[in-house]
């Protein structure tokens, strides 16, 4: 089974990397970008029988800093 975890900073948490990307896009002439939030995607290849609960536990313990980040899980 495959799982994809999307991790993003929570709303209200400053995103300096996103701001740097927004600034760089403006410098390249892409003036219509008003905001950028940068995150990460983690792809997992899991053994058969693994559950979404297991992936959630992985996120809570390691893959996301739940104080400042939120995450979503896609199973496929």
């Amino acid at each position: 089974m495959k799982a994809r975890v999307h991790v993003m900073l929570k709303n209200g948490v400053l995103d300096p990397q996103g701001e740097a990307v927004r600034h760089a896009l403006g410098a390249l002439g892409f003036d219509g970008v008003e905001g950028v939030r940068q995150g990460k995607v983690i792809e997992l290849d899991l053994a058969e029988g693994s559950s979404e609960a297991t992936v959630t536990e992985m996120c809570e313990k390691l893959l996301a800093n739940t104080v400042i980040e939120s995450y979503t899980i896609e199973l496929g």
Side-chain angles (χ1 to χ4, degrees), residues 2 7 15-16 22 25 31 35-38 40 43-44 46 54 56-58 60 63-65 67 69 75-76:
K2 291 191 181 284
V7 181
D15 185 353
R22 187 198 62 77
L25 288 170
D31 297 325
V36 175
R37 302 288 289 172
Q38 185 168 329
K40 58 188 172 189
E43 293 186 348
L44 304 167
L46 302 169
T54 300
T56 298
E57 186 176 1
M58 290 176 188
E60 294 288 327
L63 301 179
N65 177 348
V67 174
E69 295 174 321
L75 299 177

Side-chain angles (χ1 to χ4, degrees), residues 5-76:
V5 179
H6 297 265
V7 181
M8 296 289 294
L9 288 172
K10 291 181 178 179
N11 289 332
V13 175
L14 295 178
D15 185 353
Q17 288 179 315
E19 185 58 24
V21 170
R22 187 198 62 77
H23 179 73
L25 288 170
L28 292 171
F30 298 103
D31 297 325
V33 180
E34 295 179 354
V36 175
R37 302 288 289 172
Q38 185 168 329
K40 58 188 172 189
V41 176
I42 302 164
E43 293 186 348
L44 304 167
D45 291 321
L46 302 169
E48 286 299 319
S50 297
S51 67
E52 184 171 356
T54 300
V55 179
T56 298
E57 186 176 1
M58 290 176 188
C59 291
E60 294 288 327
K61 290 185 174 182
L62 177 68
L63 301 179
N65 177 348
T66 57
V67 174
I68 61 171
E69 295 174 321
S70 60
Y71 62 89
T72 59
I73 298 169
E74 294 176 26
L75 299 177

